[in-house]
Amino acid sequence: MLGVSVFHCGVLMLCWTGLCVALHVSHGQQMDPSLTGDHHTVSSTETADSLEILNTEHAFPSGKTASTVSHHVAHNAPCFVDDVLATLREGVLNGGELTNSSLTLFGICTVYDNSSCSALIELAKESKRNLGNGLKVLHPTGVLVAEEDGREMLQLTFDLPQSPLLKMKPVLLLTFEGPLKVGDLDITFTSQSLQPHTQSVCISGQTQYILLTGKAPEADIQQKWRISAEAKSPDMKQNLKDILIGGKSGSNVSMSPLLLFSGETGSDTRYTHVSGSSPASSQTFSFLCELKRFLGGILPQDLPESPPLQLDSLKSLPPLALSLSSSEALLAGLINSSAPTIFSFASWGSMSRVHHGELALSPALLEELRQRLQQTVMQIMQVIREEEMDHRAAEMLQRLQDLSVFPRKEPAPGASQYRAFLLLKALQTVARAYELQGGLRATRADPSNPVRRNTCGLRSLHVSFERRFVSPEAHDIQNCHGSCAFPMFNPVNHAVLVNSHIENENVDERAPCCAPVAYEGLQVAEFREHGAYISVKPDMVAMECGCR
């Protein structure tokens, strides 16, 4: 057996709904005692990249053995906690009731598991209520998987800051980054930190979380949760070990524990303040996570597959920073442009939650932004109705509006202007995608259209961009196809003369071709460590065809 090893987190992640930030904590170092859980924002200047492996001889009593936990931690993904909260908010309740798929998703065996079901319902309602007001999420500072008396042991260490919410009964979520490739598995968890002390979970290939209900902590101090896990069927013991330590070599399954506290309060307790951070920056980060999720869900999905292209390989105009120093002319041009925008998150992994995005628009341009945003929201709501999209699309759009609203009579905060601007560009992109889709549908349906007669005209051509880091992942750049025989479509004189020459039996010349004669650029919003930048990739979308 391997010697005793323990994983110690390089960071302590404190996450409110709309905020997940890392505080760098070295081994044995305590958290800043000045933290309070009553207001403002938690943030940091660096994000965890990995767990540090530390050798200890006293993590468990003498004679016990511990297994090395080889998986990486899923919460390194920038939107990890935001996505967990979105799952709670959007996919748990149907008409206020738990669905069977929800029970499977969270490892709950039956609807009669009162403690687990009640906790899940409360978490779902809390995450939906005012973007999770009152919901707090903690990551452990230490994780150890060991074997003791033939059972698997999970030891989690939490540093609990001062907060009224921490008096509430917590819920432990063991979250999985990838699908669990195991058969049906029944597990019993036992611990003095759980309430009730023994709880059963039922796992299948559709399970993404294990939900365990705990008891309220006795003090705002470091706490160690020692939980034993035992498979009810002895032949499933190896599957249980694979789940806890990430599976066999090469497995992409990764388990990350989260401790959630839920409770209504009289004021907004989503944010905890640390020097160098602000509520606005945390809202901006959550806004970007929600925006990425919204674009991935609302844009047309039935697109042909194509090899992904790297945006960096395309010619681009120099990038311009989106900041307080952005020129009025630049912002006015972008606000009034309907050109699609690609949102690139390729460098997002290094961007911390202190991303300070602000704009300073003049009152006139601010009013223009407000009006255009209002018009575009109405346009997208119409698209949602016409395409008969799931109700979650409208709910996500409403949350994005809530995160980017600014007052009419008072000076609008710079961060709100920034989020409203990005929302406008995203909605313009969605509107444009459905306009192109609708236009091509109409073209194919019109018998008098040149395309129906196989003459030169625009056709749809979808290309894919670098997946996972770009939204939208695909775009219709259109292309020109069709015949340029007489009578030609939109020809230049040279094409007319060449065609006449060929018709007089001079067949050794190149015949006129159907080709794009007008283009539109694509705007790229790139989020980097120190801010956002807008650049234009010129001549990306074919807008008009002609015989040349």
Side-chain angles (χ1 to χ4, degrees):
M1 296 293 292
L2 294 173
V4 177
S5 299
V6 66
F7 269 73
H8 190 88
C9 263
V11 293
L12 169 63
M13 302 288 285
L14 294 175
C15 307
W16 297 104
T17 303
L19 169 66
C20 174
V21 187
L23 292 174
H24 188 73
V25 180
S26 61
H27 182 47
Q29 181 179 350
Q30 295 299 315
M31 219 177 69
D32 183 353
S34 65
L35 291 182
T36 62
D38 297 329
H39 59 288
H40 306 308
T41 310
V42 174
S43 187
S44 82
T45 56
E46 63 182 302
T47 303
D49 292 322
S50 64
L51 287 176
E52 179 184 1
I53 301 177
L54 300 176
N55 293 321
T56 76
E57 297 181 355
H58 306 290
F60 272 80
S62 175
K64 312 306 179 186
T65 58
S67 303
T68 300
V69 184
S70 59
H71 61 268
H72 65 286
V73 180
H75 65 70
N76 290 334
C79 289
F80 172 66
V81 170
D82 295 84
D83 291 340
V84 171
L85 296 175
T87 301
L88 287 168
R89 185 171 58 238
E90 299 167 5
V92 171
L93 299 178
N94 182 13
E97 300 293 332
L98 287 176
T99 63
N100 288 332
S101 61
S102 300
L103 299 178
T104 302
L105 185 67
F106 286 87
I108 300 175
C109 297
T110 70
V111 74
Y112 299 107
D113 294 339
N114 294 331
S115 178
S116 297
C117 288
S118 298
L120 182 56
I121 290 172
E122 180 57 32
L123 288 175
K125 290 180 178 179
E126 193 66 75
S127 60
K128 199 178 186 72
R129 184 185 302 124
N130 192 22
L131 294 177
N133 180 25
L135 187 64
K136 188 177 185 68
V137 185
L138 287 177
H139 288 276
T141 55
V143 179
L144 176 66
V145 178
E147 186 170 322
E148 182 178 329
D149 299 329
R151 294 178 298 173
E152 302 303 319
M153 297 293 298
L154 182 64
Q155 180 168 294
L156 307 174
T157 303
F158 294 96
D159 283 343
L160 304 182
Q162 297 177 4
S163 171
L165 286 180
L166 301 188
K167 302 301 182 184
M168 306 299 292
K169 186 176 179 180
V171 171
L172 178 66
L173 274 187
L174 305 181
T175 69
F176 301 97
E177 191 174 10
L180 297 176
K181 297 181 180 179
V182 298
D184 293 344
L185 179 62
D186 295 340
I187 303 174
T188 298
F189 289 91
T190 304
S191 173
Q192 293 299 310
S193 298
L194 299 178
Q195 186 64 40
H197 296 324
T198 298
Q199 299 178 31
S200 297
V201 299
C202 300
I203 295 176
S204 69
Q206 288 73 48
T207 301
Q208 192 173 341
Y209 309 93
I210 294 176
L211 184 147
L212 302 170
T213 55
K215 63 181 181 181
E218 297 178 357
D220 300 336
I221 57 175
Q222 187 182 70
Q223 286 206 340
K224 283 187 171 61
W225 290 37
R226 297 187 68 233
I227 305 171
S228 68
E230 187 174 12
K232 293 184 178 178
S233 174
D235 58 349
M236 289 293 179
K237 183 174 181 178
Q238 183 58 47
N239 284 346
L240 171 58
K241 184 176 293 187
D242 289 346
I243 287 174
L244 293 179
I245 68 173
K248 300 176 182 178
S249 178
S251 171
N252 66 348
V253 175
S254 175
M255 185 270 288
S256 293
L258 298 174
L259 195 62
L260 290 81
F261 293 84
S262 173
E264 292 188 65
T265 59
S267 60
D268 189 347
T269 60
R270 282 175 291 172
Y271 307 115
T272 305
H273 180 69
V274 172
S275 178
S277 172
S278 68
S281 63
S282 70
Q283 286 188 334
T284 295
F285 196 94
S286 287
F287 168 85
L288 292 175
C289 290
E290 191 74 13
L291 187 67
K292 188 172 185 290
R293 193 159 41 246
F294 174 74
L295 288 172
I298 196 172
L299 287 165
Q301 301 296 317
D302 298 330
L303 303 178
E305 290 288 334
S306 65
L309 304 173
Q310 298 292 320
L311 282 173
D312 291 343
S313 65
L314 302 172
K315 292 182 178 179
S316 178
L317 299 179
L320 299 169
L322 274 180
S323 65
L324 293 173
S325 62
S326 298
S327 73
E328 188 87 353
L330 166 68
L331 296 174
L334 292 172
I335 288 172
N336 288 285
S337 170
S338 61
T341 301
I342 299 172
F343 294 84
S344 173
F345 302 92
S347 304
W348 208 10
S350 61
M351 187 182 79
S352 70
R353 286 184 172 260
V354 291
H355 176 71
H356 295 291
E358 293 186 273
L359 293 178
L361 303 178
S362 67
L365 192 54
L366 195 60
E367 183 60 29
E368 178 73 16
L369 172 61
R370 189 198 311 274
Q371 291 181 8
R372 284 193 174 274
L373 184 56
Q374 184 178 9
Q375 294 168 359
T376 313
V377 166
M378 294 175 62
Q379 188 177 358
I380 299 305
M381 288 301 297
Q382 182 66 23
V383 168
I384 291 174
R385 287 190 294 269
E386 290 177 353
E387 298 291 329
E388 298 181 348
M389 295 181 186
D390 188 273
H391 67 91
R392 286 176 292 184
E395 292 177 358
M396 282 191 285
L397 179 54
Q398 183 59 56
R399 283 193 295 275
L400 287 169
Q401 287 183 268
D402 292 341
L403 286 167
S404 56
V405 68
F406 46 81
R408 275 185 173 274
K409 297 182 180 180
E410 304 172 12
S416 296
Q417 296 184 33
Y418 176 83
R419 295 192 290 268
F421 170 82
L422 292 176
L423 179 57
L424 173 64
K425 299 312 299 178
L427 297 185
Q428 287 175 336
T429 300
V430 174
R432 183 59 176 278
Y434 281 100
E435 284 175 2
L436 287 176
Q437 188 180 75
L440 290 169
R441 286 174 182 169
T443 295
R444 289 191 292 267
D446 183 2
S448 65
N449 194 284
V451 172
R452 288 291 298 268
R453 303 195 304 269
N454 197 34
T455 56
C456 180
L458 285 171
R459 308 292 198 278
S460 178
L461 174 62
H462 286 91
V463 296
S464 298
F465 301 114
E466 43 197 339
R467 298 181 186 280
R468 190 179 164 200
F469 299 119
V470 171
S471 191
E473 293 180 350
H475 192 77
D476 189 353
I477 64 170
Q478 304 189 118
N479 201 9
C480 297
H481 286 276
S483 171
C484 276
F486 186 83
M488 288 185 289
F489 176 76
N490 191 20
V492 293
N493 287 336
H494 180 268
V496 173
L497 293 174
V498 169
N499 186 66
S500 177
H501 182 74
I502 293 173
E503 286 184 346
N504 287 325
E505 300 183 356
N506 297 296
V507 295
D508 56 340
E509 295 294 335
R510 177 193 66 85
C513 297
C514 180
V517 297
Y519 298 89
E520 183 179 53
L522 285 181
Q523 298 166 359
V524 178
E526 184 177 1
F527 300 98
R528 303 179 186 173
E529 183 176 1
H530 301 295
Y533 296 81
I534 287 277
S535 61
V536 176
K537 308 285 185 184
D539 302 334
M540 288 278 285
V541 182
M543 300 301 295
E544 184 181 345
C545 299
C547 290
R548 300 293 186 264

